């Protein structure tokens, strides 16, 4: 459109005795190039844009779920769900979440609701005290409690057939909700309450071997 306007303007100017030939010789050719680039972008962006956005979101979630994946990945066969360096983020995330779900399935019989209850009480107490120890809401306290329960269960699974089945089994509700799954991952790597539950489980396991 700009190319045609420049050409027609130069022609009209020439008819009226005005020398605007530079519009035809210098201005219109770059406009053709610009039109070509714009047309190519119009075809490319709808095809490349959505996959690029999906991969960006997948990469962000993949990184946020790494602590949860690291906690559970050793509970499955090492040849299953291998994440290769050349895999695109959406594939990495899919394999990561499969490994997480498989790990949770292995831990499920050993999720101890008493561990969750104790951890929740501790998290709620820290919230009531000052709210500055990583627990800022009852919702987050519930996630921290489930993370402690999962960490405890993982230690039980690694006891080589001597794991203790809890008297009252717990449920891991956070794993079925995308945002809470991220919070669960964060709690596993940063919550002192979860770290304490992990140490207690390990100490109990060591005492049982003696």
């Amino acid at each position: 459109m700009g190319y045609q306007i420049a050409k027609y303007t130069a022609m009209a100017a020439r008819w009226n005795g005005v020398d605007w030939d530079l519009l035809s010789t210098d201005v219109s050719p770059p406009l053709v190039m610009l039109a070509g680039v714009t047309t190519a972008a119009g075809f490319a962006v709808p095809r490349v844009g959505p996959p690029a956005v999906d991969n960006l979101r997948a990469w962000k979630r993949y990184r946020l779920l790494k602590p949860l994946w690291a906690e559970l990945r050793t509970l499955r066969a090492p040849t299953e769900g291998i994440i290769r360096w050349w895999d695109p983020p959406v594939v990495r995330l899919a394999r990561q979440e499969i490994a997480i779900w498989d790990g949770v399935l292995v831990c499920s019989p050993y999720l101890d609701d008493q561990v969750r209850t104790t951890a929740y009480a501790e998290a709620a107490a820290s919230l009531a005290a000052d709210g500055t120890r990583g627990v800022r809401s009852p919702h987050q306290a519930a996630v921290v409690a489930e993370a402690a329960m999962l960490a405890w269960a993982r230690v039980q699974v690694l006891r080589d057939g001597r794991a203790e089945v809890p008297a009252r089994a717990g449920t891991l509700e956070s794993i079925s909700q995308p945002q809470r799954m991220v919070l669960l991952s964060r709690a596993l790597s940063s919550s002192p309450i979860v770290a304490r539950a992990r140490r207690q489980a390990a100490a109990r396991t060591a005492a049982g071997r003696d």
Side-chain angles (χ1 to χ4, degrees):
M1 186 67 179
Y3 171 82
Q4 291 177 332
I5 291 174
K7 283 289 187 180
Y8 292 153
T9 301
M11 290 171 58
R14 174 62 66 179
W15 291 338
N16 288 278
V18 181
D19 184 7
W20 282 4
D21 289 352
L22 64 89
L23 292 177
S24 178
T25 58
D26 296 337
V27 176
S28 59
L31 292 177
V32 173
M33 184 182 301
L34 179 61
V37 172
T38 305
T39 302
F43 281 104
V45 169
R47 294 177 179 271
V48 177
V53 171
D54 290 343
N55 276 290
L56 184 61
R57 290 174 177 169
W59 179 252
K60 181 179 179 181
R61 182 169 174 80
Y62 170 79
R63 292 185 61 188
L64 291 173
L65 291 180
K66 261 193 170 181
L68 179 56
W69 171 71
E71 186 86 14
L72 300 172
R73 65 174 177 168
T74 57
L75 303 182
R76 56 180 291 162
T79 56
E80 297 179 8
I82 296 176
I83 298 175
R84 297 177 290 266
W85 65 267
W86 62 81
D87 288 331
V90 289
V91 175
R92 285 171 173 258
L93 178 61
R95 290 178 175 171
Q96 182 190 60
E97 290 188 336
I98 289 172
I100 289 172
W101 277 98
D102 286 351
V104 170
L105 187 63
V106 174
C107 291
S108 292
Y110 309 104
L111 294 173
D112 193 334
D113 194 62
Q114 182 57 49
V115 173
R116 184 197 63 77
T117 302
T118 302
Y120 181 80
E122 187 175 352
S126 68
L127 172 64
D130 54 18
T132 61
R133 300 177 185 176
V135 180
R136 296 181 173 84
S137 67
H139 170 78
Q140 192 174 3
V143 174
V144 168
E146 290 192 359
M149 180 175 64
L150 179 61
W152 177 284
R154 178 185 177 275
V155 174
Q156 294 297 316
V157 170
L158 297 177
R159 291 187 64 182
D160 299 327
R162 298 189 299 274
E164 298 179 7
V165 178
R168 188 171 73 251
T171 57
L172 201 64
E173 297 180 1
S174 298
I175 204 69
S176 61
Q177 302 176 34
Q179 185 57 38
R180 290 188 66 172
M181 196 173 178
V182 170
L183 295 176
L184 183 71
S185 180
R186 187 178 302 161
L188 282 168
S189 65
S190 62
S191 172
I193 296 173
V194 175
R196 189 176 302 111
R198 191 182 288 114
R199 289 195 301 269
Q200 289 173 349
R204 184 168 178 175
T205 298
R209 290 175 179 172
D210 296 339

